[in-house]
Amino acid sequence: MKHYPYYPERSVLSLEGLWDFSFIGEDLEIDNLSERQIHYDDFMDVPMAFDATPAYAGKQGLAAYRKFITLAEGRKHYLKVAGMGMQNRFYIDQEEIGLCRLPYTGMTIPIPEKFNGEVELVVLSDNRLDINKTPLFDKRTDFYSYGGFFRGIDLHSTGPLALDRVQIKTENITKPQISARIFFQEEVQNTEIEKICFKVCIREYNSSGKRGHTLLEIENPNFSSQTNMEFSFVLPDARIWTLDDPALYELIVRVDDGKHSDTVIERFGIRIVGTDKGQITLNGQPVKLLGYNRHESHPQFGPALPYSQLVQDLQILKDLNCNFIRGSHYPQDQRFLDLCDESGFLFFEESFSWQHNDRHFSRPDFMEDMELQHRLMVRNSYNHPSVIMWGFLNEGDSHKESSRQAYESCFRAIREEDRTRLITYATNHPLDDLYLELCDVISINTYPGWYEMDDEDPAEEVTRPLDRINQEINLLIEHKNSSNHKNKPLILSEIGAGAIYGWRDSLRSHWTEGYQEDYLETVCTRICEDDALAGVALWQFCDGRTYQSGRAVKRPRAFNNKGTCDEYRRPKIAYTAVQRIFGAYRERSCLGTEF
């Protein structure tokens, strides 16, 4: 896993590559499985969703991964897992050491110190849709439930003094003033902290790999308290992170107690995010969000996208004249967020969720997993300047009073972790939503001229499908302005129409590329011309695999086909319309790429 943070002093072993593999099938449960029943008769690359490979395509059940690793005696060891699906249990020499059932979420699994020498690491991965195994993933979820390793895994070997992360916050951009808070891998007692020497260095990030210019060095900074290891500093010559100049800096913290030492390198940008008079602001200036929803999805790789594909996706989005991405609907690959930081994109990151309701909210295991993934999402992505909004519970039952505790607990968990960013959730109940007062930004998923056409009353006057788009947007703006949310920014967090790649005819009817082109041209024009709209995340960047079951009857090819590109990133004809309209807005704004 090559992404920030880096730990140059400790041993970090990438466990990516070939593992022994066995697909056990759907007839056995983990609790009833013995080591003798596992026959490793194949191999599997990591990261790779096993059911995205030709040999196991669409297979639902239990799979086993095995790798032999060496653990040095007298050292602490941690597995850093960047994201998996769906339920995964970790074993060392047949003893369970950890559970990962938060899809796509990066987490750390400590290895008990009693293990040393060569050991057998086994991961049992179950991708069956079972709310008792993976409470967050429902059978109705409208994207495919892959299993296995979506992202990388590393083995960290440290001494007793081990850093975890440093959270970096912009306090003020005029000086600019920064605060940083140090976290250790394990809790350190106050008496131990007094013996530790801290050294801090802040330097410019250099994309060429050369060491950047050092702006500041601090030895033994003044912490706010021994229990809250936060300190502040000023960088008078630093550049602000903007869309057209995404300046980045590295903060290096080294700790040394005379016997052991450790170093962590974090990267950050100096910027502040806010709202003002219905607009989202970056560094105090309004910015209109123009972009897409993007799934981590590819027919060959599933959600385990190679680095080259991440780079290509950003190149395409930049060619479309976008400045904004919504990561639908789960915590994101840290490598992709690193690229967004470097490229000057704004990002809306949300926790794993899709149309959850009372059936989920009433389950203690669901609520526990939901809160944990919120906190891990924020902690993992805290230092990314590109991330400007946190979200959760996409299209949940936010119109029911019975959901109040769930929504309030989500807001509370995220605000406890981070008070510097905007918080929202994407609602598909815009006219009777009950919890918008808790949001910093109102995010609405709506598909006028698409889904509701099946429900049209034959006795009513027929409305042209594309006319419904502006009618619906007018209604949403009018409703917002008549409520207590008038001054909150309004974004369309989903809007779009499906098109089958290559289907073109003179009628330009539903599912043709022509209808999608007309649809997105109408949407993008309205977004760019109306100051009452703070932005849009078009649904969606590229087609993505969805239901495997009979529910796919409403999803031709078992794909969600609303991508402006198909699943192989081939552009549909709507591509040029979006590119042209977003590009024209960019030119009119007279702000370069900052628009």
Side-chain angles (χ1 to χ4, degrees), residues 271-321:
R271 61 100 183 94
I272 55 173
V273 180
T275 64
D276 183 43
K277 298 177 182 177
Q279 301 297 313
I280 293 171
T281 62
L282 178 67
N283 302 321
Q285 299 298 316
V287 55
K288 181 161 288 204
L289 308 181
L290 302 178
Y292 278 89
N293 287 270
R294 174 185 172 274
H295 267 298
E296 294 183 348
S297 178
H298 191 281
Q300 292 173 266
F301 314 119
L305 300 184
Y307 196 72
S308 58
Q309 189 63 60
L310 303 182
V311 172
Q312 291 179 45
D313 284 0
L314 271 183
Q315 289 178 346
I316 295 169
L317 287 161
K318 184 170 287 189
D319 186 58
L320 281 160
N321 289 307

Side-chain angles (χ1 to χ4, degrees), residues 413-565:
I414 294 177
R415 290 200 192 279
E416 285 176 357
E417 296 290 334
D418 181 16
R419 294 185 175 274
T420 71
R421 290 176 172 86
L422 308 175
I423 305 180
T424 187
Y425 59 84
T427 178
N428 59 344
H429 306 287
L431 302 183
D432 55 355
D433 197 291
L434 299 176
Y435 310 115
L436 295 180
E437 74 274 6
L438 302 174
C439 294
D440 299 311
V441 175
I442 296 175
S443 304
I444 296 176
N445 295 354
T446 183
Y447 292 87
W450 189 252
Y451 287 127
E452 86 284 1
M453 298 304 295
D454 293 336
D455 303 324
E456 190 173 79
D457 187 343
E460 294 180 354
E461 183 178 348
V462 176
T463 303
R464 290 178 63 249
L466 293 179
D467 289 343
R468 291 176 178 263
I469 296 172
N470 281 313
Q471 290 175 0
E472 176 72 6
I473 292 175
N474 291 340
L475 178 64
L476 294 174
I477 294 173
E478 180 182 352
H479 178 73
K480 184 185 84 93
N481 289 341
S482 64
S483 69
N484 295 328
H485 318 307
K486 181 176 182 179
N487 291 324
K488 291 186 178 183
L490 169 64
I491 67 171
L492 301 183
S493 41
E494 289 183 26
I495 188 168
I500 306 298
Y501 180 83
W503 186 12
R504 307 175 186 180
D505 68 29
S506 57
L507 292 182
R508 300 175 78 86
S509 58
H510 281 58
W511 296 111
T512 65
E513 289 192 37
Y515 183 78
Q516 185 191 53
E517 179 185 37
D518 296 340
Y519 191 104
L520 293 187
E521 183 167 25
T522 302
V523 170
C524 293
T525 299
R526 178 62 184 270
I527 293 293
C528 291
E529 292 181 351
D530 195 336
D531 290 338
L533 297 168
V536 67
L538 299 173
W539 188 270
Q540 59 180 334
F541 169 60
C542 66
D543 295 345
R545 191 177 298 280
T546 183
Y547 309 114
Q548 185 180 358
S549 66
R551 290 178 62 83
V553 169
K554 294 185 177 182
R555 294 282 187 263
R557 307 185 305 130
F559 275 77
N560 190 316
N561 298 283
K562 298 185 188 69
T564 301
C565 299

Side-chain angles (χ1 to χ4, degrees), residues 122-341:
V122 170
V123 181
L124 297 181
S125 183
D126 193 337
N127 68 340
R128 286 171 287 192
L129 295 178
D130 185 337
I131 196 171
N132 294 312
K133 298 175 183 176
T134 313
L136 297 179
F137 206 105
D138 191 278
K139 291 182 178 180
R140 297 174 58 256
T141 302
D142 192 10
F143 48 95
Y144 191 84
S145 59
Y146 289 97
F149 288 87
F150 299 171
R151 303 165 192 157
I153 175 173
D154 289 340
L155 173 65
H156 286 234
S157 177
T158 76
L161 187 66
L163 292 162
D164 181 22
R165 298 296 303 268
V166 182
Q167 287 187 349
I168 306 162
K169 179 170 61 175
T170 301
E171 302 286 356
N172 193 310
I173 61 171
T174 56
K175 295 185 178 179
Q177 184 175 356
I178 313 297
S179 65
R181 187 177 181 186
I182 298 173
F183 293 87
F184 286 89
Q185 190 68 60
E186 297 180 4
E187 186 175 349
V188 179
Q189 301 299 321
N190 290 349
T191 55
E192 296 174 322
I193 293 175
E194 294 172 358
K195 302 175 184 178
I196 298 173
C197 175
F198 294 83
K199 291 187 178 180
V200 179
C201 174
I202 299 93
R203 67 189 184 201
E204 293 178 331
Y205 167 73
N206 192 319
S207 59
S208 67
K210 295 181 180 179
R211 177 170 294 183
H213 174 68
T214 298
L215 278 70
L216 184 66
E217 291 182 330
I218 308 171
E219 188 164 343
N220 293 324
N222 294 320
F223 296 118
S224 55
S225 71
Q226 289 285 38
T227 56
N228 182 7
M229 303 193 68
E230 185 171 337
F231 61 97
S232 300
F233 53 90
V234 175
L235 295 176
D237 297 324
R239 299 179 355 248
I240 306 303
W241 189 92
T242 65
L243 299 185
D244 58 346
D245 182 20
L248 294 166
Y249 297 89
E250 290 180 325
L251 186 147
I252 303 100
V253 173
R254 186 175 190 273
V255 293
D256 188 338
D257 65 1
K259 296 180 180 179
H260 308 94
S261 63
D262 197 21
T263 299
V264 61
I265 302 176
E266 301 273 9
R267 194 173 66 173
F268 68 100
I270 302 169
R271 61 100 183 94
I272 55 173
V273 180
T275 64
D276 183 43
K277 298 177 182 177
Q279 301 297 313
I280 293 171
T281 62
L282 178 67
N283 302 321
Q285 299 298 316
V287 55
K288 181 161 288 204
L289 308 181
L290 302 178
Y292 278 89
N293 287 270
R294 174 185 172 274
H295 267 298
E296 294 183 348
S297 178
H298 191 281
Q300 292 173 266
F301 314 119
L305 300 184
Y307 196 72
S308 58
Q309 189 63 60
L310 303 182
V311 172
Q312 291 179 45
D313 284 0
L314 271 183
Q315 289 178 346
I316 295 169
L317 287 161
K318 184 170 287 189
D319 186 58
L320 281 160
N321 289 307
C322 296
N323 67 349
F324 175 57
I325 304 166
R326 179 184 175 213
S328 51
H329 301 288
Y330 33 75
Q332 293 295 295
D333 190 328
Q334 293 295 308
R335 299 175 304 162
F336 190 70
L337 294 181
D338 277 352
L339 291 172
C340 290
D341 294 340

